[in-house]
Amino acid sequence: MATKGSHTYTSSQLESYFERISLPARHRDLSYEVGRNNNAQRDLEFLTALQKHQLAAVPFENLSIHYSPTHTIDLDPGFLYAKIVTRRRGGYCMENNCFFGTVLRSLGFSLYSAGARVSEAAAGSHDSSGYLGWSHMVNIVLATNGNKYLVDVGFGGGGPIQPLPLKANEVSPGIPPHQVRLAYENIEGNSDPNQRLWIFQFRKNSEDAWKSNYCFTGLEFLPQDYEIMSFWTSQSRKAWFTHKIAVVMMVLEKEEVVGVITLVGGEVKRRYKEDEVGLKTCSTEDERIIALKEHFSIDLSEDDRRGIAGLVTELPHG
């Protein structure tokens, strides 16, 4: 029996996915060469294109916790395909990274997933240098030349926009003018000073100090680990996902990520390179439903819309 971690999509499903993310034909041709001829550079180019187009087409969003009859998250790869490709929705970290990992495995990439801890600073405690518990998921892709890459399509506007080699302190571009890197260090709270984790960091420009968004381990996590993690993040009243609505999607121009559009609560904003502007303030449910369709191409069903009734995230009607 296949496990969730070994599930793959069919060739026709992958073609529909390419259409979903508007992947150019020149990149689709590379899908037949993954892992063949030991051409790690071509594989990396294809992986980079997939990640950027995924980020610009499939939003990070936690709407299923709020706009849903069940208020639950399903990490089954088949369900995720129907949600993301057929229904043209997105998902939060474990949904998007589980789905994207299944896409990569189906294409022939070798990979595994790992758990991550979000920094307290990234979660809103700006004066803290500690980390929360396991609540994030990343994919680690193993190239044919032996290199490993962090691939993350589930951290919203603060995550990487391309594969990052698992090499300490190698600087890569983020959403302009941001820069990102991986550090390999001990973290606050560890009893053993010799323990090391990979830490994803960013800075606003070359003169700014590095800030940590999350850390992750090299240990492979299994599907049942994410079931436990996702249950807490989607159901606990201590998890911000349950009391705040967030939708994030990257802006792609000429194959480069240049900005991000966000909806948090009722505020819609767009950051293009260094400039951020407010696009809309939603004061009613009808206005937010329209904003989701207009800015993120998310069209909620009537059943989904009714699901928010009585929740703390519900806006006034009228």
Side-chain angles (χ1 to χ4, degrees):
M1 179 183 295
T3 65
K4 291 181 182 178
S6 62
H7 188 102
T8 55
Y9 298 132
T10 66
S11 296
S12 61
Q13 285 179 310
L14 291 173
E15 284 297 328
S16 295
Y17 167 69
F18 293 158
E19 290 294 328
R20 168 75 173 91
I21 64 171
S22 301
L23 188 70
R26 66 181 181 278
H27 295 309
R28 301 186 195 192
D29 293 339
L30 297 177
S31 66
Y32 302 102
E33 301 182 15
V34 174
R36 302 176 184 176
N37 304 318
N38 291 320
N39 196 330
Q41 183 57 40
R42 287 186 67 118
D43 289 351
L44 180 60
E45 291 173 4
F46 181 44
L47 178 60
T48 301
L50 284 171
Q51 181 169 355
K52 290 181 177 180
H53 281 269
Q54 162 91 14
L55 289 169
V58 180
F60 170 94
E61 49 107 329
N62 66 340
L63 298 175
S64 292
I65 302 173
H66 307 273
Y67 288 106
S68 163
T70 62
H71 308 292
T72 57
I73 299 296
D74 192 335
L75 298 180
D76 176 78
F79 179 89
L80 291 175
Y81 183 91
K83 180 183 181 184
I84 292 172
V85 178
T86 306
R87 295 166 52 201
R88 305 186 69 82
R89 287 280 303 278
Y92 73 1
C93 62
M94 283 170 268
E95 293 178 282
N96 284 356
N97 277 325
C98 177
F99 167 77
F100 194 62
T102 306
V103 167
L104 297 182
R105 187 178 303 107
S106 305
L107 288 165
F109 285 98
S110 177
L111 71 151
Y112 67 90
S113 66
R117 297 184 178 113
V118 177
S119 71
E120 292 178 345
S125 301
H126 301 294
D127 296 330
S128 174
S129 58
Y131 289 84
L132 304 175
W134 300 111
S135 60
H136 185 50
M137 170 189 184
V138 300
N139 285 308
I140 308 298
V141 173
L142 315 175
T144 55
N145 61 5
N147 291 337
K148 295 182 179 181
Y149 293 87
L150 165 69
V151 178
D152 183 2
V153 296
F155 201 71
I161 60 173
Q162 62 189 34
L164 300 182
L166 294 195
K167 297 179 181 179
N169 303 320
E170 184 170 304
V171 178
S172 299
I175 301 175
H178 290 192
Q179 295 178 322
V180 301
R181 72 175 186 183
L182 294 176
Y184 191 60
E185 303 172 355
N186 193 272
I187 65 170
E188 180 180 306
N190 275 351
S191 300
D192 181 0
N194 296 315
Q195 287 189 26
R196 297 289 184 272
L197 290 99
W198 290 103
I199 304 173
F200 173 73
Q201 300 178 321
F202 82 99
R203 63 183 179 184
K204 293 182 178 180
N205 54 62
S206 59
E207 306 299 322
D208 197 24
W210 289 101
K211 298 179 177 63
S212 300
N213 272 352
Y214 59 80
C215 68
F216 61 96
T217 174
L219 175 70
E220 181 175 4
F221 275 42
L222 301 178
Q224 52 266 40
D225 298 318
Y226 299 116
E227 293 286 353
I228 295 171
M229 292 162 57
S230 184
F231 183 81
W232 190 89
T233 53
S234 65
Q235 301 299 315
S236 173
R237 294 308 169 191
K238 293 183 179 180
W240 73 265
F241 288 108
T242 64
H243 53 81
K244 184 178 293 185
I245 286 177
V247 187
V248 181
M249 195 158 67
M250 303 295 184
V251 178
L252 195 66
E253 287 185 358
K254 298 179 180 179
E255 299 293 297
E256 296 299 329
V257 176
V258 295
V260 61
I261 300 177
T262 63
L263 181 151
V264 179
E267 297 291 331
V268 183
K269 296 180 180 180
R270 175 187 172 105
R271 178 162 70 84
Y272 181 81
K273 298 182 178 180
E274 297 185 72
D275 300 322
E276 182 176 87
V277 297
L279 299 180
K280 184 177 183 62
T281 298
C282 305
S283 56
T284 68
E285 276 298 322
D286 287 344
E287 290 179 352
R288 185 158 62 187
I289 294 298
I290 292 171
L292 288 171
K293 181 67 179 296
E294 179 180 349
H295 297 288
F296 304 97
S297 300
I298 294 176
D299 191 6
L300 296 175
S301 70
E302 288 297 330
D303 283 344
D304 289 337
R305 297 178 192 185
R306 285 192 291 267
I308 201 170
L311 299 185
V312 66
T313 50
E314 182 183 21
L315 293 176
H317 293 265

